[in-house]
Amino acid sequence: MTSLWAERTPRPDGIAKTLDGDVSVDVLVIGGGMAGMLCAYLLGRAGCSCAVVEQSLVGSGVTQNTTAKVTAQHNLVYDRLIREHGAENARLYYEANQAAVAGLRQLSDAFPCDFEEKTAYVYAEESTEGLERELAAYEQLGIPHHVLPSAPVPIANKGALGMERQAQFNPLKLLYGLAPSVDVYENAFVSEVSGTTARTQEGSITAEHIVFATHYPLVNIPGLYFMKLHQERSYALALKDAPAVDGMFIGEGGGFSFRTYEDFLLVGGGGHRTGKGPGSEEGYRAIRTFADAAYPGCVECCAWATQDCMSLDGMPYIGVHRRENPRWYVATGFSKWGMTGSYVAAKAIADLIATGESPVEDLFFPQRSMLNVALFSNLGTSTANLVKPGKRCSHMGCSLERNDVEDSWDCPCHGSRFDADGNVLDGPATKPISV
């Protein structure tokens, strides 16, 4: 199953190199997705020598499977942020993500990527209570907005809250545009990172600073990322002969989402924890059943799944990997909002490396408190699957679930996935399994 972006974006020749021997640079970025490529590009602009190593091809992981909405409207986040972190931090979160929208808008001028300004909306299906609280948060924080009495989507709803001057784009076009400005080594799987050195079969890379932009960090102990993250899968369809929508829409609490691209309508939904819940068969069935009913006669052109790292508190982990090693950095836990999250992370880490500080380093500090109900859910899932019989994950030994639709083995603990031959599809696992 191939995403619309992969299907319709030809890969240019010569955008990456093959690692052949040892390399030394100021900064090594592990991961050639949106976060890693943006980080390397910004560091290069700041005068740092930088290399990106990607285990497969540039953008071939989570980035090519996003729905590519560029927005600071992360569902109903601002009311919660004010309650849990205070208005000042909520405003900082908004400003950082809105700066990401502006930064990507500016990059799109240099690297055309079908960047279109749109209003982002959250619609309410049942009660308007959550929408009303979020509206009050927007007003308190001074976020430009407007309200629709009814969202123009084929779902009964009670209105929508819009955040203005957001955007949508083609993520692979941007990455392919950035690539010639960055030293990228593809098909270079990092098997070990120690001190200032990362090792692959093709050679070692030594760097003063190392950035883990691998979606899920390769190094979990110390750092405890295996306790602070879980992963979720969700699904998308690209439909022809379906009516367009004016804006980007998502249901409160993660209902179906909608956006356009050229003459396609993209519908997303059906999410669940990787390796648990309804599974991929039910995820695809749910979204297809909805599309068939909502858009009779429409043509499905592409169907694909993505995987999201979910943090304990809904905010990403960006910055120093852990206090004991201040020259390692991490960018993860974007919790379904990876396009703005990637830019926020790239800018913050580039600032930390180039100047020693970032205005968001405390807000997104990876070693902030772990006391959250989600922690106990993660620990409970891990404990149950460590004792459950079955094929074992090479990461920490959890029992794997068979995913027949995507022909993979999926880990419900930390979200690693393996193909039919046992090779790693998604981390944090770095070693294959025996099938």
Side-chain angles (χ1 to χ4, degrees), residues 307-385:
Q307 183 137 306
D308 293 289
C309 273
M310 312 298 290
S311 71
L312 294 175
D313 58 5
M315 290 200 298
Y317 301 120
I318 298 169
V320 174
H321 185 278
R322 63 184 190 276
R323 289 185 178 91
E324 296 80 7
N325 196 339
R327 294 183 182 273
W328 284 9
Y329 306 84
V330 67
T332 189
F334 299 141
S335 300
K336 298 185 182 290
W337 302 105
M339 295 300 95
T340 43
S342 290
Y343 191 96
V344 170
K347 182 67 167 64
I349 292 172
D351 286 346
L352 286 169
I353 291 173
T355 71
E357 59 183 4
S358 163
V360 298
E361 60 183 301
D362 292 335
L363 181 64
F364 298 128
F365 183 53
Q367 300 306 312
R368 63 185 181 266
S369 173
M370 294 170 58
L371 292 178
N372 189 289
V373 66
L375 172 65
F376 301 101
S377 175
N378 289 349
L379 293 176
T381 298
S382 296
T383 300
N385 284 279

Side-chain angles (χ1 to χ4, degrees), residues 35-340:
M37 293 293 286
L38 285 172
C39 188
Y41 177 79
L42 294 177
L43 283 164
R45 302 273 290 185
C48 298
S49 66
C50 191
V52 175
V53 291
E54 163 57 42
Q55 70 172 6
S56 182
L57 303 178
V58 166
S60 63
V62 176
T63 295
Q64 74 172 4
N65 294 321
T66 176
T67 50
K69 297 186 286 288
V70 182
T71 178
Q73 187 192 64
H74 299 168
N75 217 292
L76 303 183
V77 69
Y78 292 100
D79 170 63
R80 179 178 60 80
L81 287 177
I82 289 172
R83 287 185 282 106
E84 295 180 2
H85 301 280
E88 183 177 345
N89 283 325
R91 185 174 291 106
L92 183 59
Y93 183 98
Y94 168 72
E95 290 172 349
N97 281 279
Q98 193 59 24
V101 178
L104 290 169
R105 181 184 289 112
Q106 185 175 15
L107 284 174
S108 73
D109 292 335
F111 309 108
C113 52
D114 303 328
F115 193 93
E116 300 177 276
E117 189 168 291
K118 297 286 183 179
T119 299
Y121 295 92
V122 179
Y123 63 88
E125 293 186 47
E126 298 178 1
S127 169
T128 61
E129 183 179 345
L131 224 58
E132 290 166 358
R133 289 197 304 267
E134 191 74 354
L135 173 59
Y138 279 27
E139 292 172 342
Q140 181 178 350
L141 299 175
I143 297 175
H145 63 277
H146 63 262
V147 175
L148 296 179
S150 179
V153 297
I155 295 174
N157 67 86
K158 297 188 175 182
L161 175 61
M163 182 182 288
E164 299 162 5
R165 299 208 68 201
Q166 309 304 292
Q168 57 189 29
F169 74 137
N170 179 327
L172 288 187
K173 282 190 175 183
L174 178 60
L175 285 197
Y176 293 161
L178 290 172
S181 304
V182 178
D183 281 335
V184 186
Y185 298 93
E186 292 182 327
N187 298 307
F189 185 85
V190 174
S191 58
E192 181 187 357
V193 184
S194 177
T196 60
T197 302
R199 294 176 176 83
T200 76
Q201 285 190 336
E202 295 75 21
S204 297
I205 306 97
T206 301
E208 186 176 354
H209 304 273
I210 297 179
V211 179
F212 295 89
T214 53
H215 186 57
Y216 199 118
L218 292 175
V219 179
N220 291 289
I221 303 172
L224 300 180
Y225 291 97
F226 70 96
M227 296 171 62
K228 296 191 290 192
L229 292 166
H230 76 272
Q231 299 197 67
E232 294 186 2
R233 293 190 72 69
S234 57
Y235 305 86
L237 304 178
L239 306 175
K240 267 197 171 182
D241 302 325
V245 292
D246 184 14
M248 305 178 296
F249 293 82
I250 189 168
E252 175 187 355
F256 288 111
S257 69
F258 307 85
R259 65 154 289 193
T260 56
Y261 178 72
E262 296 178 345
D263 57 348
F264 296 96
L265 177 70
L266 276 61
V267 181
H272 61 90
R273 184 170 180 141
T274 302
K276 289 189 68 177
S280 294
E281 182 175 0
E282 282 301 315
Y284 278 117
R285 181 183 294 124
I287 196 170
R288 284 176 169 141
T289 298
F290 168 77
D292 289 344
Y295 307 110
C298 69
V299 178
E300 177 185 308
C301 299
C302 292
W304 68 98
T306 193
Q307 183 137 306
D308 293 289
C309 273
M310 312 298 290
S311 71
L312 294 175
D313 58 5
M315 290 200 298
Y317 301 120
I318 298 169
V320 174
H321 185 278
R322 63 184 190 276
R323 289 185 178 91
E324 296 80 7
N325 196 339
R327 294 183 182 273
W328 284 9
Y329 306 84
V330 67
T332 189
F334 299 141
S335 300
K336 298 185 182 290
W337 302 105
M339 295 300 95
T340 43

